[in-house]
Amino acid sequence: MKERQKRRSNYLMLVLLLAFTSCNFFNKHSDKEASLPFIGLPEFTENGDTIQYSIPKFSFINQDSLEVSHLTMRDKIFVADFFFTTCPSICPMLSSQMARLQGKVNEAGFHDQVRFLSHTVDPNHDLPDTLKAFASLIGADLSNWDFVTGKAEDIYYQAEKGYLLSAFPSDSADGGFFHTDKIALIDKQLHIRGLYDGTSTKEVDQLFNDIKILLHE
């Protein structure tokens, strides 16, 4: 009788151990699945360490004629896009989705951890006052959203060599400029962690979910 009880006790212990191990396995698996990728080619040191690609340092002028740079984004996650105020095609939808995303971020209590950065691709027209009027028009909260301008070559360089996206003047494009419809998600170390179709509600919702994942990394 005692032997039977001992075997039963050992069996129960084994079941509990297997259950605990299984839970740990699936939790680890879920954590792995929830991590975000790094976008851009990494570098490798002589020691075999991996250095993830990061966007270059930058400095632009915002809607209040104040400098906005990589230092402004220190210890912040930020999302970035490209637009111009007279754009007749995708910009209205892109800016509307950015404003909706900002609303979701701020309502979730992430205001102090997440910033928004919109680069004009038409710096000759989109001066600070023009950018500020546009921001007001779309209902942007400027406490954590900057609309920036600068030298055209610096903006296009940042788009193509920084965010790995496209932005340039084009006679064949509506409004005279071609630019990406992507929104980039950048982590606190200036690594690109996601690119999303800024005209898609579904993808922008996914971007919001990925912001939450990134905040818990």
PDB file of all heavy atoms in Angstrom, residues 73 77-80 98 101-103 105-106 114-118 144-147 211:
ATOM      1  N   MET A  73      16.016  62.500 -29.811  1.00  0.00           N
ATOM      2  CA  MET A  73      15.397  61.180 -29.708  1.00  0.00           C
ATOM      3  C   MET A  73      16.095  60.275 -28.702  1.00  0.00           C
ATOM      4  O   MET A  73      15.773  59.090 -28.598  1.00  0.00           O
ATOM      5  CB  MET A  73      15.394  60.504 -31.089  1.00  0.00           C
ATOM      6  CG  MET A  73      14.751  61.335 -32.173  1.00  0.00           C
ATOM      7  SD  MET A  73      13.024  61.744 -31.804  1.00  0.00           S
ATOM      8  CE  MET A  73      12.689  62.966 -33.077  1.00  0.00           C
ATOM      9  N   ILE A  77      11.757  55.876 -28.310  1.00  0.00           N
ATOM     10  CA  ILE A  77      11.352  55.196 -29.531  1.00  0.00           C
ATOM     11  C   ILE A  77      10.695  56.257 -30.411  1.00  0.00           C
ATOM     12  O   ILE A  77      10.010  57.143 -29.904  1.00  0.00           O
ATOM     13  CB  ILE A  77      10.351  54.070 -29.217  1.00  0.00           C
ATOM     14  CG1 ILE A  77      11.038  52.950 -28.432  1.00  0.00           C
ATOM     15  CG2 ILE A  77       9.696  53.522 -30.482  1.00  0.00           C
ATOM     16  CD1 ILE A  77      10.073  51.949 -27.840  1.00  0.00           C
ATOM     17  N   PHE A  78      10.920  56.206 -31.728  1.00  0.00           N
ATOM     18  CA  PHE A  78      10.193  57.157 -32.565  1.00  0.00           C
ATOM     19  C   PHE A  78       9.783  56.532 -33.887  1.00  0.00           C
ATOM     20  O   PHE A  78      10.368  55.534 -34.321  1.00  0.00           O
ATOM     21  CB  PHE A  78      10.982  58.459 -32.767  1.00  0.00           C
ATOM     22  CG  PHE A  78      12.199  58.384 -33.650  1.00  0.00           C
ATOM     23  CD1 PHE A  78      12.141  58.752 -34.993  1.00  0.00           C
ATOM     24  CD2 PHE A  78      13.428  58.012 -33.128  1.00  0.00           C
ATOM     25  CE1 PHE A  78      13.268  58.737 -35.795  1.00  0.00           C
ATOM     26  CE2 PHE A  78      14.568  57.996 -33.913  1.00  0.00           C
ATOM     27  CZ  PHE A  78      14.491  58.352 -35.255  1.00  0.00           C
ATOM     28  N   VAL A  79       8.754  57.129 -34.470  1.00  0.00           N
ATOM     29  CA  VAL A  79       8.290  56.707 -35.785  1.00  0.00           C
ATOM     30  C   VAL A  79       8.497  57.872 -36.750  1.00  0.00           C
ATOM     31  O   VAL A  79       8.320  59.037 -36.383  1.00  0.00           O
ATOM     32  CB  VAL A  79       6.813  56.250 -35.765  1.00  0.00           C
ATOM     33  CG1 VAL A  79       6.648  54.990 -34.939  1.00  0.00           C
ATOM     34  CG2 VAL A  79       5.901  57.336 -35.231  1.00  0.00           C
ATOM     35  N   ALA A  80       8.903  57.561 -37.967  1.00  0.00           N
ATOM     36  CA  ALA A  80       9.255  58.599 -38.939  1.00  0.00           C
ATOM     37  C   ALA A  80       8.575  58.351 -40.272  1.00  0.00           C
ATOM     38  O   ALA A  80       8.410  57.199 -40.690  1.00  0.00           O
ATOM     39  CB  ALA A  80      10.773  58.636 -39.123  1.00  0.00           C
ATOM     40  N   MET A  98      -0.836  58.734 -39.281  1.00  0.00           N
ATOM     41  CA  MET A  98       0.139  59.129 -38.257  1.00  0.00           C
ATOM     42  C   MET A  98      -0.575  59.798 -37.081  1.00  0.00           C
ATOM     43  O   MET A  98      -0.256  59.546 -35.909  1.00  0.00           O
ATOM     44  CB  MET A  98       1.175  60.077 -38.862  1.00  0.00           C
ATOM     45  CG  MET A  98       2.236  59.403 -39.706  1.00  0.00           C
ATOM     46  SD  MET A  98       3.564  58.633 -38.716  1.00  0.00           S
ATOM     47  CE  MET A  98       4.535  60.079 -38.273  1.00  0.00           C
ATOM     48  N   LEU A 101      -2.327  57.179 -35.087  1.00  0.00           N
ATOM     49  CA  LEU A 101      -1.355  56.429 -34.309  1.00  0.00           C
ATOM     50  C   LEU A 101      -0.908  57.226 -33.089  1.00  0.00           C
ATOM     51  O   LEU A 101      -0.793  56.677 -31.985  1.00  0.00           O
ATOM     52  CB  LEU A 101      -0.143  56.078 -35.180  1.00  0.00           C
ATOM     53  CG  LEU A 101       0.999  55.349 -34.485  1.00  0.00           C
ATOM     54  CD1 LEU A 101       0.547  53.986 -33.964  1.00  0.00           C
ATOM     55  CD2 LEU A 101       2.195  55.195 -35.433  1.00  0.00           C
ATOM     56  N   GLN A 102      -0.668  58.518 -33.281  1.00  0.00           N
ATOM     57  CA  GLN A 102      -0.272  59.345 -32.141  1.00  0.00           C
ATOM     58  C   GLN A 102      -1.361  59.337 -31.066  1.00  0.00           C
ATOM     59  O   GLN A 102      -1.062  59.252 -29.871  1.00  0.00           O
ATOM     60  CB  GLN A 102       0.013  60.783 -32.572  1.00  0.00           C
ATOM     61  CG  GLN A 102       0.534  61.637 -31.424  1.00  0.00           C
ATOM     62  CD  GLN A 102       0.592  63.116 -31.742  1.00  0.00           C
ATOM     63  OE1 GLN A 102      -0.320  63.659 -32.370  1.00  0.00           O
ATOM     64  NE2 GLN A 102       1.644  63.788 -31.319  1.00  0.00           N
ATOM     65  N   GLY A 103      -2.602  59.409 -31.493  1.00  0.00           N
ATOM     66  CA  GLY A 103      -3.704  59.355 -30.539  1.00  0.00           C
ATOM     67  C   GLY A 103      -3.707  58.068 -29.734  1.00  0.00           C
ATOM     68  O   GLY A 103      -3.890  58.077 -28.511  1.00  0.00           O
ATOM     69  N   VAL A 105      -1.102  56.078 -29.179  1.00  0.00           N
ATOM     70  CA  VAL A 105       0.094  56.069 -28.331  1.00  0.00           C
ATOM     71  C   VAL A 105      -0.120  56.922 -27.086  1.00  0.00           C
ATOM     72  O   VAL A 105       0.174  56.504 -25.958  1.00  0.00           O
ATOM     73  CB  VAL A 105       1.324  56.563 -29.130  1.00  0.00           C
ATOM     74  CG1 VAL A 105       2.479  56.921 -28.202  1.00  0.00           C
ATOM     75  CG2 VAL A 105       1.759  55.510 -30.142  1.00  0.00           C
ATOM     76  N   ASN A 106      -0.638  58.122 -27.277  1.00  0.00           N
ATOM     77  CA  ASN A 106      -0.829  59.023 -26.139  1.00  0.00           C
ATOM     78  C   ASN A 106      -1.905  58.516 -25.183  1.00  0.00           C
ATOM     79  O   ASN A 106      -1.766  58.612 -23.960  1.00  0.00           O
ATOM     80  CB  ASN A 106      -1.156  60.428 -26.637  1.00  0.00           C
ATOM     81  CG  ASN A 106       0.038  61.108 -27.304  1.00  0.00           C
ATOM     82  OD1 ASN A 106       1.143  60.576 -27.314  1.00  0.00           O
ATOM     83  ND2 ASN A 106      -0.195  62.281 -27.871  1.00  0.00           N
ATOM     84  N   VAL A 114       7.529  57.792 -26.623  1.00  0.00           N
ATOM     85  CA  VAL A 114       7.448  57.645 -28.076  1.00  0.00           C
ATOM     86  C   VAL A 114       7.303  59.020 -28.717  1.00  0.00           C
ATOM     87  O   VAL A 114       6.482  59.836 -28.286  1.00  0.00           O
ATOM     88  CB  VAL A 114       6.250  56.758 -28.479  1.00  0.00           C
ATOM     89  CG1 VAL A 114       6.202  56.592 -29.997  1.00  0.00           C
ATOM     90  CG2 VAL A 114       6.317  55.400 -27.791  1.00  0.00           C
ATOM     91  N   ARG A 115       8.099  59.267 -29.765  1.00  0.00           N
ATOM     92  CA  ARG A 115       8.011  60.525 -30.505  1.00  0.00           C
ATOM     93  C   ARG A 115       7.668  60.240 -31.966  1.00  0.00           C
ATOM     94  O   ARG A 115       7.812  59.111 -32.454  1.00  0.00           O
ATOM     95  CB  ARG A 115       9.317  61.315 -30.418  1.00  0.00           C
ATOM     96  CG  ARG A 115       9.662  61.787 -29.010  1.00  0.00           C
ATOM     97  CD  ARG A 115      10.796  62.815 -29.037  1.00  0.00           C
ATOM     98  NE  ARG A 115      10.402  64.021 -29.723  1.00  0.00           N
ATOM     99  CZ  ARG A 115       9.826  65.068 -29.132  1.00  0.00           C
ATOM    100  NH1 ARG A 115       9.570  65.048 -27.835  1.00  0.00           N
ATOM    101  NH2 ARG A 115       9.493  66.148 -29.836  1.00  0.00           N
ATOM    102  N   PHE A 116       7.248  61.310 -32.655  1.00  0.00           N
ATOM    103  CA  PHE A 116       6.872  61.238 -34.063  1.00  0.00           C
ATOM    104  C   PHE A 116       7.695  62.263 -34.829  1.00  0.00           C
ATOM    105  O   PHE A 116       7.899  63.386 -34.355  1.00  0.00           O
ATOM    106  CB  PHE A 116       5.370  61.508 -34.242  1.00  0.00           C
ATOM    107  CG  PHE A 116       4.508  60.461 -33.595  1.00  0.00           C
ATOM    108  CD1 PHE A 116       4.290  60.465 -32.225  1.00  0.00           C
ATOM    109  CD2 PHE A 116       3.936  59.455 -34.356  1.00  0.00           C
ATOM    110  CE1 PHE A 116       3.516  59.491 -31.618  1.00  0.00           C
ATOM    111  CE2 PHE A 116       3.165  58.471 -33.763  1.00  0.00           C
ATOM    112  CZ  PHE A 116       2.950  58.488 -32.393  1.00  0.00           C
ATOM    113  N   LEU A 117       8.155  61.870 -36.023  1.00  0.00           N
ATOM    114  CA  LEU A 117       9.028  62.734 -36.812  1.00  0.00           C
ATOM    115  C   LEU A 117       8.620  62.665 -38.282  1.00  0.00           C
ATOM    116  O   LEU A 117       8.755  61.620 -38.916  1.00  0.00           O
ATOM    117  CB  LEU A 117      10.482  62.287 -36.647  1.00  0.00           C
ATOM    118  CG  LEU A 117      11.560  63.140 -37.305  1.00  0.00           C
ATOM    119  CD1 LEU A 117      11.563  64.556 -36.733  1.00  0.00           C
ATOM    120  CD2 LEU A 117      12.931  62.488 -37.125  1.00  0.00           C
ATOM    121  N   SER A 118       8.111  63.780 -38.802  1.00  0.00           N
ATOM    122  CA  SER A 118       7.682  63.845 -40.198  1.00  0.00           C
ATOM    123  C   SER A 118       8.608  64.788 -40.968  1.00  0.00           C
ATOM    124  O   SER A 118       8.755  65.954 -40.614  1.00  0.00           O
ATOM    125  CB  SER A 118       6.237  64.351 -40.296  1.00  0.00           C
ATOM    126  OG  SER A 118       5.339  63.402 -39.765  1.00  0.00           O
ATOM    127  N   ASN A 144       4.918  65.895 -28.799  1.00  0.00           N
ATOM    128  CA  ASN A 144       5.809  64.773 -29.106  1.00  0.00           C
ATOM    129  C   ASN A 144       5.818  64.421 -30.598  1.00  0.00           C
ATOM    130  O   ASN A 144       6.140  63.302 -30.982  1.00  0.00           O
ATOM    131  CB  ASN A 144       5.460  63.530 -28.270  1.00  0.00           C
ATOM    132  CG  ASN A 144       4.097  62.941 -28.576  1.00  0.00           C
ATOM    133  OD1 ASN A 144       3.203  63.632 -29.092  1.00  0.00           O
ATOM    134  ND2 ASN A 144       3.912  61.667 -28.264  1.00  0.00           N
ATOM    135  N   TRP A 145       5.480  65.419 -31.422  1.00  0.00           N
ATOM    136  CA  TRP A 145       5.508  65.239 -32.883  1.00  0.00           C
ATOM    137  C   TRP A 145       6.158  66.459 -33.507  1.00  0.00           C
ATOM    138  O   TRP A 145       5.705  67.585 -33.307  1.00  0.00           O
ATOM    139  CB  TRP A 145       4.095  65.046 -33.419  1.00  0.00           C
ATOM    140  CG  TRP A 145       3.993  64.629 -34.866  1.00  0.00           C
ATOM    141  CD1 TRP A 145       4.986  64.564 -35.793  1.00  0.00           C
ATOM    142  CD2 TRP A 145       2.806  64.213 -35.552  1.00  0.00           C
ATOM    143  NE1 TRP A 145       4.513  64.132 -37.005  1.00  0.00           N
ATOM    144  CE2 TRP A 145       3.168  63.907 -36.871  1.00  0.00           C
ATOM    145  CE3 TRP A 145       1.469  64.077 -35.165  1.00  0.00           C
ATOM    146  CZ2 TRP A 145       2.248  63.481 -37.817  1.00  0.00           C
ATOM    147  CZ3 TRP A 145       0.544  63.644 -36.101  1.00  0.00           C
ATOM    148  CH2 TRP A 145       0.925  63.348 -37.410  1.00  0.00           C
ATOM    149  N   ASP A 146       7.249  66.241 -34.250  1.00  0.00           N
ATOM    150  CA  ASP A 146       7.946  67.317 -34.956  1.00  0.00           C
ATOM    151  C   ASP A 146       7.797  67.146 -36.456  1.00  0.00           C
ATOM    152  O   ASP A 146       7.923  66.033 -36.986  1.00  0.00           O
ATOM    153  CB  ASP A 146       9.434  67.306 -34.599  1.00  0.00           C
ATOM    154  CG  ASP A 146       9.695  67.738 -33.173  1.00  0.00           C
ATOM    155  OD1 ASP A 146       9.466  68.921 -32.866  1.00  0.00           O
ATOM    156  OD2 ASP A 146      10.109  66.887 -32.359  1.00  0.00           O
ATOM    157  N   PHE A 147       7.553  68.270 -37.124  1.00  0.00           N
ATOM    158  CA  PHE A 147       7.528  68.338 -38.580  1.00  0.00           C
ATOM    159  C   PHE A 147       8.781  69.098 -38.984  1.00  0.00           C
ATOM    160  O   PHE A 147       8.946  70.260 -38.602  1.00  0.00           O
ATOM    161  CB  PHE A 147       6.264  69.044 -39.064  1.00  0.00           C
ATOM    162  CG  PHE A 147       5.005  68.293 -38.768  1.00  0.00           C
ATOM    163  CD1 PHE A 147       4.467  68.295 -37.482  1.00  0.00           C
ATOM    164  CD2 PHE A 147       4.356  67.574 -39.764  1.00  0.00           C
ATOM    165  CE1 PHE A 147       3.305  67.594 -37.199  1.00  0.00           C
ATOM    166  CE2 PHE A 147       3.190  66.870 -39.484  1.00  0.00           C
ATOM    167  CZ  PHE A 147       2.661  66.876 -38.200  1.00  0.00           C
ATOM    168  N   ILE A 211       5.129  48.811 -31.276  1.00  0.00           N
ATOM    169  CA  ILE A 211       5.644  49.815 -30.335  1.00  0.00           C
ATOM    170  C   ILE A 211       5.570  49.261 -28.915  1.00  0.00           C
ATOM    171  O   ILE A 211       6.511  49.406 -28.121  1.00  0.00           O
ATOM    172  CB  ILE A 211       4.853  51.137 -30.454  1.00  0.00           C
ATOM    173  CG1 ILE A 211       5.243  51.868 -31.750  1.00  0.00           C
ATOM    174  CG2 ILE A 211       5.093  52.038 -29.251  1.00  0.00           C
ATOM    175  CD1 ILE A 211       4.384  53.086 -32.052  1.00  0.00           C
TER     176      ILE A 211
END
